Amino acid sequence: MLRGFRRPSISGKDGDDVENNNSMDYIPLNIMMGYSISEGLGYKKERTLSSIVFEKYSVWTKNYYLFMAFLQSGIIACAADIFTQKMEGAVPIDYAHVLALLSVAAIASGWFNALLLRRIEAAYPGSGTKEVVMKAIISTLPLGGAINAMYLIGVPLLRTTVFAEEHRLPPLDADIIFQGWTVEKFITLTKIECIMFLPYHSLAFKMISLQWRPVFQAGMAGVFSIAVSAVTLGYFNIWWDILLDFF
């Protein structure tokens, strides 16, 4: 039989070892599986930095749900856009585009998306097949379509106005406001949305709690943000052609 660590003996007054009343000389492995060696010997377990960070993060996502979704989406979009430009050898980095994508992602994919996901969850509570299908379709098509439209309109608009060198407010001119909008780009993002997020939402609404959903979706959003960056920068069609030539 497998055995664990030997229990420490208890010393008497004369320094002689006093026999332990418990007949077990060894700490069983089933105890060791749940506790560290120090805990088995009666010492307090030390918390690791990762466990402390994870605990704090859990509290923040619970108490500041919308703010954390806003913050996460902005940071991920910023990193994704810089990565995309670096991958394409952009010199210098177009930081006006980075800031524009960060802003739209934080508001649209972060705050707005998290807010609507809660509303969708409240409208169709439960994890039954009907409820999950309805939530997955609504969050992917109407909600996802609205967010994709915000990207296609907002990123080019902010890039050429608010975050341009002259830092001007967007004018009330339809040609400028919708300069980045094309049906082709919208269909491209919708296809990517359906491929990535329809399966994800089908699993998330059934298996992932509402508190942790923005965390997992942030990981998916990192990949999607690279696609959004490529579409708004004009790289996506080039990537697609290279992929088709490869196969």
Side-chain angles (χ1 to χ4, degrees), residues 128-150:
T129 302
K130 179 182 177 182
E131 289 77 15
V132 170
V133 169
M134 288 300 298
K135 288 185 284 191
I137 292 175
I138 293 172
S139 59
T140 302
L141 295 176
L143 178 56
I147 292 173
N148 292 336
M150 293 181 197

Side-chain angles (χ1 to χ4, degrees), residues 3-54:
R3 306 167 77 181
F5 284 92
R6 190 176 183 88
R7 293 181 182 273
S9 60
I10 303 174
S11 298
K13 294 181 179 180
D14 299 328
D16 297 329
D17 289 345
V18 177
E19 184 178 355
N20 196 322
N21 290 331
N22 193 330
S23 61
M24 293 178 60
D25 291 333
Y26 290 84
I27 302 172
L29 286 178
N30 63 334
I31 295 178
M32 291 168 56
M33 291 291 288
Y35 302 93
S36 66
I37 296 174
S38 60
E39 286 178 310
L41 298 176
Y43 298 107
K44 186 178 179 181
K45 181 180 179 181
E46 293 184 3
R47 297 169 64 194
T48 62
L49 178 61
S50 60
S51 67
I52 295 173
V53 171
F54 185 81

Side-chain angles (χ1 to χ4, degrees), residues 212-224:
W212 288 103
R213 208 166 293 153
V215 181
F216 286 90
Q217 186 154 340
M220 297 287 292
V223 179
F224 187 72

Side-chain angles (χ1 to χ4, degrees), residues 22-245:
N22 193 330
S23 61
M24 293 178 60
D25 291 333
Y26 290 84
I27 302 172
L29 286 178
N30 63 334
I31 295 178
M32 291 168 56
M33 291 291 288
Y35 302 93
S36 66
I37 296 174
S38 60
E39 286 178 310
L41 298 176
Y43 298 107
K44 186 178 179 181
K45 181 180 179 181
E46 293 184 3
R47 297 169 64 194
T48 62
L49 178 61
S50 60
S51 67
I52 295 173
V53 171
F54 185 81
E55 180 182 326
K56 292 293 184 182
Y57 181 79
S58 177
V59 173
W60 293 337
T61 54
K62 182 178 181 180
N63 296 338
Y64 309 103
Y65 176 77
L66 295 178
F67 173 74
M68 288 300 294
F70 175 92
L71 187 64
Q72 287 174 167
S73 294
I75 292 173
I76 289 171
C78 176
D81 196 35
I82 293 174
F83 173 79
T84 302
Q85 294 190 47
K86 284 284 189 181
M87 190 165 57
E88 284 296 314
V91 179
I93 296 295
D94 186 349
Y95 284 105
H97 189 276
V98 172
L99 292 173
L101 186 63
L102 182 156
S103 301
V104 176
I107 296 171
S109 290
W111 178 82
F112 179 72
N113 185 51
L115 179 65
L116 267 291
L117 284 177
R118 278 195 164 182
R119 300 288 178 86
I120 294 170
E121 186 70 61
Y124 300 94
S127 57
T129 302
K130 179 182 177 182
E131 289 77 15
V132 170
V133 169
M134 288 300 298
K135 288 185 284 191
I137 292 175
I138 293 172
S139 59
T140 302
L141 295 176
L143 178 56
I147 292 173
N148 292 336
M150 293 181 197
Y151 277 118
L152 293 177
I153 296 172
V155 173
L157 179 63
L158 294 176
R159 178 192 189 187
T160 56
T161 55
V162 175
F163 297 118
E165 291 184 2
E166 57 272 20
H167 303 294
R168 58 192 178 90
L169 293 175
L172 296 176
D173 186 334
D175 291 335
I176 296 178
I177 293 174
F178 294 99
Q179 60 181 297
W181 170 269
T182 66
V183 175
E184 181 184 1
K185 289 181 179 180
F186 181 74
I187 292 175
T188 298
L189 286 181
T190 301
K191 289 179 180 178
I192 299 172
E193 178 90 26
C194 290
I195 292 171
M196 289 183 60
F197 285 100
L198 193 56
Y200 163 75
H201 285 307
S202 300
L203 293 174
F205 283 116
K206 194 172 186 67
M207 301 174 63
I208 303 174
S209 67
L210 183 63
Q211 175 189 347
W212 288 103
R213 208 166 293 153
V215 181
F216 286 90
Q217 186 154 340
M220 297 287 292
V223 179
F224 187 72
S225 293
I226 294 176
V228 172
S229 179
V231 169
T232 54
L233 286 167
Y235 298 148
F236 189 82
N237 289 337
I238 299 174
W239 291 2
W240 185 250
D241 292 338
I242 293 173
L243 183 64
L244 292 179
D245 290 340

